[in-house]
Amino acid sequence: MQTTSQPAQHGGRAGRPWGVVALLALLTAGYVAVYGVQQLINGLQLGAIYALIAVGYTMVYGVVKMINFAHGDVYMVGAYVAFGVTAAAAAGQITPGQALLLFGVGMVAAMAGCALLGALIERTAYRPLRNQPRLAALTTAIGVSLLLENLMQIIAGPNPRPFPGLIPLRQLDLAGIVINIRFGVAFLIALVMMAGLQYLVMRTRVGKAMRAVAFDLDAARLMGIDVNRVIAAVFMLGSALAAAAGVLVGVTYARIDPFMGIIPGLKAFVAAVLGGIGNIPGAMVGGLLMGMAEVGVASVRSELTGAVAFLILIVVLLFKPTGLLGERVYDKV
Amino acid sequence: MSELAPATTAGPLRATPWPVVLGRWLLQLAVIVGIYELLVAWMGGNRYLQVVLTQAGIYVILAVSLNLILGYTGQLSIGHAGFMAVGGYAAAILTKFFGVPFALALLAGAAAAGVAGLLVGVPSLRLRGDYLAIATLGFGEIISVLLSLIDEVPVGSRVIDIGGAQGLIGIPRHTTFAWTYVAAVLAIKVVWHFVHSTHGRACIAIREDEVAAEAMGIPATRYKVLSFTLSAMLAGVAGGLYAHQYLYLNPAVAGFMNSVFILVIVVIGGMGSTTGAVAAAIFFTYTNDALPNWMQALHLPASINPPAVRMVLFSLLLILVMLLRPRGLLGGVELTWAQLARAGRLLTGGGRRPGVAKGGAA
Amino acid sequence: MDLQREPAPTGSRLAAGSGPLEAEALPVVLECREVTIRFGGLVALSDFNLTLRQGELVGLIGPNGAGKTTVFNLITGIYRPTSGEIRLFHRPITGLRPHRITQLGVARTFQNIRLFGNMTVLDNVRTAFHARTRTGVLPAILRTRGFHAEEQAVTRRALELLETLRLSHRAEELARNLPYGEQRRLEIARALATGPRILLLDEPAAGMNPSESRELRDLIEEVHRRFGLTTLLIEHHMDVVMSVCERVVVLDYGRTIAAGTPDEIRRNPAVIAAYLGEEAG
């Protein structure tokens, strides 16, 4: 999609994916050389979380061409829903089996709840503004974001809450690499979800409809696709994945607060832009890269991670606005 | 046709006779001074009211300047608070450490903010829509982070401490209501004169259709940068006034929340309406401060903290206004002599229908 | 100094037309040489050649998608050619920004009307005078006498243009509220305000009924004559094109398939074939 104000430049390059793959391989190799394999693993684990959130941003942008500022807060709500469902039950002594069960319940509740929340937000706050100037939708999204944060602050209190440790706190040592079980499980779950998403988008009818709407909304409508339903589905899907990320973060970091969605939301957004906004595999790759970058920077000076995210964003926007896997689209004048 | 008279940048269609021009000028002056006197009288010795009104004046400048780049030129610049902070810090450093006179410090703050505007604007303004929004937001945050990282700066033989994350304290008190009022009036005037000129038309054309504007000979990038820089400079003045009112600056001033506050004022007030921006700025700063008092009167449970409730109401209002009037409450509507004249004619029951120049066909 | 080329055998590249002998003495104002543009894999225009001489009124026709508006976008700098060269008054303008090219004397209207909708009719025209104004930003803010004088001059000339285009009664209306035909006239008024020497009209008669398009045809002729312009006209209304243009260039799939006088074009079998299935007006 159009990111710069110049209409129509020419040149679409074939065979680009290989260049990107090579670049990524090079980056990874360089990263390991500088930081070591342990940091790479840490970075990938964190990156998987970002990827789950980033995918939601990118899907929504793909279909309605808007940046859903409230997405990070849906992630937060997911964490709180799981918290609300499991905290009481987990308070006493429970077996690891029960804990895992609770984890599953919490996950399902969070994903379902946020899917509904996402659909609700889309229906009430975004759909009426679909044909209005971009700023109106952007401002409304900011409003929804603020609303979610502050409502949660009123409901659950402004202080961080401890999230129940539903996954055992243990470490595995594989040939010198330390893997925290919680992070490892989170990573695997995230991978499975992303694989599932990729399958859904590329191999099912619903996914095909989503891709059609992302490509050309009006044409999709003319082809008989119920555009409103598809958009709602996209929001629900993205929100569910963000909620999952929220639950995973709650379990791994053991604390949640009403404003926990702001910074990760921003970083995930940068990840989506980095990968090429509108491009789902791009968001996944972007997320992993952001995770790696953050771990690398944090080992030097941890306050800088936010600024580094913004820096990456600006560098991408200025030099390659379409991101790593994005494509140039031409503007008809 | 019940539409409000269109905002037009038309000066008089026929040369206005000079007595009328002089008369209008004097009338404007009288109104400006009059309002000032009224406000001062209202304030009495009430410190609190004075603070609120001064704050309102500062945000009028911020709203009016953001409206220039956002409402008139149509560029989604949402990191405006960053320029406010740059101007504020620059002015404060000059007065606190170097004893520079207030007026000069304000101008220096404006210049510094202008430079920041150029640095941000030149690369960013090639981007479109949402991307520009995110980039400017990003720059605002980067300014905030930079400010929080810098504490001691060697200048010549001295080392000055600007506080880093703790913030800059001990800023001398210079801001008074008078200063703020004059600055606000000047800011409004500057923006108004800019907009109602060929340059303003160029900017509005860019907002309406950048491709067509270029086709009509308007160098779009140049005007976007110009509008951006001018807007940043005014924000810098507001920042200087802010610093010398609260005597303390911290990097959060440059951050997202402050930018959003200014953005919301402009968006709700009405994009492309200076009148709307002024009205909304006054309304929001007033209610922002007055709300905790009202809430106390309602005897809400102590656990619900006022800032959260204020934000919930604020965000609901924001969403509501966007859904009902996406262009803002006074979007595109301005208070001009022509409109006042029309209103006058309407009230006195004679004259032409509004919105038609020469009694022509509808 | 003749820059025309000989027609190639299979009609793949044709001369951009040769008018009556006297025309060759007139100075060349615009040339396109072997201009080609590609969008990804799509070749929108291929080896396009055109020579416009002072004062000509040339038509550019062809089925939809033939590349006509692409030619305009290339000339006005919105697109950059993949290869080839464009010269304005003998000066290469490839790569110049659109506003610069307008300042050099080329103005255009848009196929899908692109007015400044939320501005008044008068302001739309006054905006187009911008490139011809001299007052800087500071004088404008300070409201100097020079500023006022220039504003009034611009307003006066804008009103004159509106008068010529019969839009004076609409001066204070918002452009987006105008009826369609008047919007098209406003597009032309706005283009004229930039003070061009070359005018590119992109389907000015689109959507008009026969009587409206006759009026428009007269308007085009009048404007062409009164302002001493060189005009390039894209149109689908054949009655307008044939009656008003001295010569016509025909595009199909990005290539020139014919060029010549209206009569020659009307009888050209390649042109008729290209339009088969389309209303030839």
Side-chain angles (χ1 to χ4, degrees):
Chain A
M1 80 275 8
Q2 202 62 351
T3 54
T4 64
S5 31
Q6 327 297 332
Q9 329 289 316
H10 44 277
R13 282 147 276 175
R16 236 158 31 91
W18 299 119
V20 177
V21 170
L23 177 66
L24 289 176
L26 213 66
L27 259 174
T28 316
Y31 191 89
V32 170
V34 173
Y35 295 108
V37 180
Q38 176 69 62
Q39 295 289 55
L40 178 67
I41 300 293
N42 295 343
L44 288 179
Q45 287 174 332
L46 180 60
I49 305 288
Y50 287 146
L52 273 183
I53 308 174
V55 150
Y57 275 117
T58 227
M59 288 200 301
V60 164
Y61 193 90
V63 288
V64 286
K65 306 289 182 282
M66 84 168 269
I67 299 173
N68 184 7
F69 257 94
H71 193 59
D73 298 290
V74 170
Y75 151 93
M76 174 273 293
V77 171
Y80 268 90
V81 169
F83 173 77
V85 164
T86 62
Q93 287 286 66
I94 50 173
T95 71
Q98 284 173 327
L100 274 179
L101 182 64
L102 272 181
F103 175 67
V105 169
M107 187 63 106
V108 169
M111 289 176 74
C114 286
L116 285 176
L117 177 64
L120 179 68
I121 294 174
E122 192 273 324
R123 184 68 190 79
T124 55
Y126 299 157
R127 192 192 295 188
L129 294 175
R130 228 179 259 163
N131 295 318
Q132 293 299 335
R134 316 300 287 110
L135 185 58
L138 193 81
T139 312
T140 309
I142 294 177
V144 171
S145 170
L146 291 173
L147 184 65
L148 288 174
E149 286 163 15
N150 288 282
L151 268 182
M152 191 57 83
Q153 201 187 22
I154 293 178
I155 294 172
N159 299 317
R161 305 292 212 100
F163 197 92
L166 299 172
I167 297 179
L169 185 64
R170 255 206 291 277
Q171 288 184 332
L172 258 147
D173 194 313
L174 297 174
I177 313 281
V178 176
I179 297 185
N180 181 318
I181 290 285
R182 285 182 176 174
F183 278 94
V185 170
F187 180 68
L188 286 173
I189 293 179
L191 274 190
V192 166
M193 285 187 174
M194 286 195 283
L197 178 71
Q198 191 65 357
Y199 178 81
L200 190 139
V201 168
M202 298 304 283
R203 301 286 175 114
T204 66
R205 277 188 65 208
V206 178
K208 188 183 276 185
M210 290 179 182
R211 281 181 286 141
V213 170
F215 194 76
D216 188 333
L217 195 146
D218 294 313
R221 184 183 280 134
L222 290 172
M223 293 297 122
I225 294 177
D226 186 339
V227 164
N228 286 335
R229 276 253 210 98
V230 170
I231 292 177
V234 167
F235 269 86
M236 288 173 75
L237 204 50
S239 302
L241 290 174
V247 176
L248 292 174
V249 166
V251 161
T252 48
Y253 289 93
R255 47 172 271 168
I256 59 176
D257 73 88
F259 299 100
M260 66 187 273
I262 300 179
I263 302 285
L266 237 27
K267 290 177 180 170
F269 174 70
V270 175
V273 173
L274 175 62
I277 196 144
N279 185 309
I280 295 176
M284 297 179 189
V285 168
L288 293 174
L289 286 175
M290 283 302 290
M292 286 164 60
E294 176 160 335
V295 164
V297 168
S299 66
V300 174
R301 200 168 167 181
S302 62
E303 314 88 71
L304 282 185
T305 56
V308 166
F310 275 112
L311 213 62
I312 294 177
L313 175 69
I314 285 170
V315 165
V316 170
L317 287 180
L318 294 183
F319 294 105
K320 195 160 195 323
T322 47
L324 288 172
L325 300 182
E327 290 159 0
R328 224 96 200 236
V329 163
Y330 302 102
D331 200 17
K332 200 162 200 278
V333 173
Chain B
M1 191 175 81
S2 60
E3 208 159 84
L4 286 159
T8 172
T9 63
L13 291 186
R14 292 169 288 281
T16 328
W18 71 262
V20 179
V21 176
L22 188 61
R24 279 191 193 162
W25 197 84
L26 284 174
L27 186 59
Q28 260 190 32
L29 198 59
V31 168
I32 291 172
V33 173
I35 293 180
Y36 178 74
E37 295 300 336
L38 271 172
L39 289 173
V40 168
W42 181 32
M43 283 190 307
N46 189 337
R47 271 292 289 158
Y48 171 72
L49 205 52
Q50 185 186 42
V51 167
V52 170
L53 285 175
T54 307
Q55 169 106 329
I58 291 173
Y59 276 89
V60 161
I61 300 175
L62 287 167
V64 153
S65 58
L66 180 61
N67 197 22
L68 175 61
I69 182 69
L70 185 65
Y72 287 113
T73 318
Q75 305 300 302
L76 293 195
S77 157
I78 62 177
H80 208 54
F83 304 127
M84 173 189 182
V86 167
Y89 267 87
I93 290 172
L94 286 175
T95 56
K96 179 179 175 184
F97 297 110
F98 299 99
V100 172
F102 189 44
L104 226 57
L106 284 181
L107 286 175
V115 168
L118 267 174
L119 289 175
V120 171
V122 168
S124 307
L125 290 167
R126 302 179 309 162
L127 302 169
R128 231 166 63 162
D130 292 339
Y131 289 86
L132 177 61
I134 296 300
T136 50
L137 190 66
F139 272 116
E141 284 296 312
I142 286 183
I143 292 175
S144 181
V145 169
L146 282 177
L147 285 171
S148 68
L149 290 176
I150 302 174
D151 13 24
E152 291 180 344
V153 184
V155 180
S157 51
R158 299 164 58 178
V159 174
I160 58 178
D161 184 347
I162 66 173
Q166 271 71 46
L168 179 63
I169 57 171
I171 304 174
R173 170 181 295 289
H174 284 307
T175 304
T176 63
F177 178 66
W179 272 104
T180 314
Y181 186 79
V182 168
V185 168
L186 283 177
I188 296 173
K189 273 267 157 210
V190 164
V191 169
W192 189 273
H193 285 179
F194 180 84
V195 165
H196 293 72
S197 75
T198 186
H199 307 286
R201 286 194 292 268
C203 288
I204 297 175
I206 291 171
R207 175 192 79 197
E208 291 294 305
D209 190 325
E210 192 173 322
V211 170
E214 281 256 342
M216 296 302 122
I218 293 170
T221 312
R222 207 180 306 170
Y223 270 92
K224 289 198 282 191
V225 172
L226 173 66
S227 171
F228 200 76
T229 308
L230 181 58
S231 141
M233 286 172 65
L234 291 172
V237 171
L241 288 168
Y242 181 91
H244 295 83
Q245 159 87 333
Y246 293 99
L247 315 183
Y248 166 64
L249 270 183
N250 84 14
V253 171
F256 177 66
M257 285 313 293
N258 204 10
S259 282
V260 165
F261 185 58
I262 306 170
L263 173 71
V264 167
I265 290 176
V266 172
V267 170
I268 289 187
M271 298 198 279
S273 168
T274 306
T275 322
V278 171
I282 297 173
F283 174 76
F284 276 105
T285 39
Y286 184 72
T287 54
N288 213 25
D289 285 303
L291 189 60
N293 298 339
W294 298 348
M295 282 179 54
Q296 268 182 347
L298 285 174
H299 303 298
L300 289 167
S303 60
I304 300 179
N305 55 342
V309 177
R310 183 174 68 203
M311 288 307 290
V312 167
L313 290 176
F314 189 65
S315 50
L316 280 173
L317 175 64
L318 186 58
I319 296 172
L320 218 62
V321 171
M322 281 299 99
L323 288 176
L324 295 174
R325 254 194 89 96
R327 285 193 70 202
L329 292 174
L330 287 178
V333 173
E334 290 277 25
L335 200 60
T336 62
W337 288 117
Q339 290 205 349
L340 284 174
R342 269 192 205 107
R345 275 198 297 271
L346 271 177
L347 284 173
T348 58
R352 311 185 184 114
R353 279 197 300 132
V356 178
K358 288 178 183 163
Chain C
M1 234 188 53
D2 191 314
L3 297 152
Q4 320 256 16
R5 285 169 213 269
E6 298 308 309
T10 49
S12 60
R13 257 172 33 191
L14 291 175
S18 42
L21 259 137
E22 312 86 78
E24 300 201 355
L26 291 170
V28 169
V29 295
L30 179 72
E31 294 165 67
C32 297
R33 299 186 187 179
E34 302 294 315
V35 174
T36 302
I37 185 168
R38 227 178 249 121
F39 295 108
L42 175 71
V43 180
L45 196 67
S46 165
D47 300 318
F48 179 72
N49 288 287
L50 178 69
T51 304
L52 281 185
R53 294 179 184 273
Q54 171 85 48
E56 289 193 285
L57 216 179
V58 178
L60 183 61
I61 67 175
N64 279 321
K68 310 185 292 294
T69 302
T70 308
V71 169
F72 275 21
N73 289 339
L74 283 162
I75 295 174
T76 55
I78 292 176
Y79 296 160
R80 213 196 147 113
T82 316
S83 67
E85 197 187 32
I86 303 177
R87 282 174 181 251
L88 186 64
F89 309 116
H90 301 292
R91 165 194 170 154
I93 58 170
T94 330
L96 285 185
R97 296 287 308 277
H99 67 87
R100 194 74 193 95
I101 294 178
T102 303
Q103 286 164 9
L104 289 174
V106 180
R108 71 167 300 170
T109 65
F110 290 92
Q111 181 179 12
N112 308 316
I113 300 175
R114 295 181 84 130
L115 293 172
F116 306 129
N118 289 305
M119 278 187 170
T120 61
V121 166
L122 179 62
D123 273 341
N124 265 269
V125 178
R126 295 203 300 167
T127 304
F129 273 101
H130 178 76
R132 298 158 79 183
T133 62
R134 294 198 173 293
T135 316
V137 177
L138 204 53
I141 291 180
L142 294 174
R143 290 295 201 240
T144 63
R145 194 164 275 151
F147 163 77
H148 280 297
E150 198 172 56
E151 277 287 295
Q152 285 178 10
V154 165
T155 305
R156 204 176 49 240
R157 301 191 59 181
L159 285 170
E160 285 167 12
L161 263 179
L162 287 181
E163 185 71 53
T164 310
L165 276 280
R166 294 188 279 287
L167 286 169
S168 307
H169 58 295
R170 295 287 195 193
E172 294 288 331
E173 289 276 354
L174 285 184
R176 63 164 193 236
N177 291 335
L178 252 53
Y180 182 78
E182 292 182 349
Q183 283 186 342
R184 287 227 168 264
R185 290 216 298 274
L186 179 56
E187 275 250 329
I188 298 176
R190 199 179 58 164
L192 290 173
T194 64
R197 293 176 56 186
I198 301 176
L199 182 62
L200 308 177
L201 296 171
D202 199 341
E203 300 196 33
M208 290 189 178
N209 63 43
S211 84
E212 286 168 334
S213 55
R214 266 196 301 275
E215 271 178 40
L216 182 82
R217 182 200 58 202
D218 295 336
L219 185 64
I220 292 176
E221 271 182 329
E222 181 189 339
V223 155
H224 173 86
R225 204 184 46 243
R226 186 203 277 227
F227 292 91
L229 301 168
T230 307
T231 307
L232 185 59
L233 172 70
I234 293 178
E235 247 317 320
H236 278 301
H237 282 61
M238 286 307 145
D239 47 339
V240 174
V241 172
M242 298 308 178
S243 59
V244 116
C245 296
E246 305 157 15
R247 60 186 173 95
V248 176
V249 175
V250 189
L251 289 182
D252 192 20
Y253 290 112
R255 294 180 167 278
T256 310
I257 61 170
T261 67
D263 273 330
E264 292 168 359
I265 293 301
R266 201 187 317 236
R267 290 189 296 253
N268 185 313
V271 173
I272 296 170
Y275 271 101
L276 255 180
E278 288 214 24
E279 287 276 1

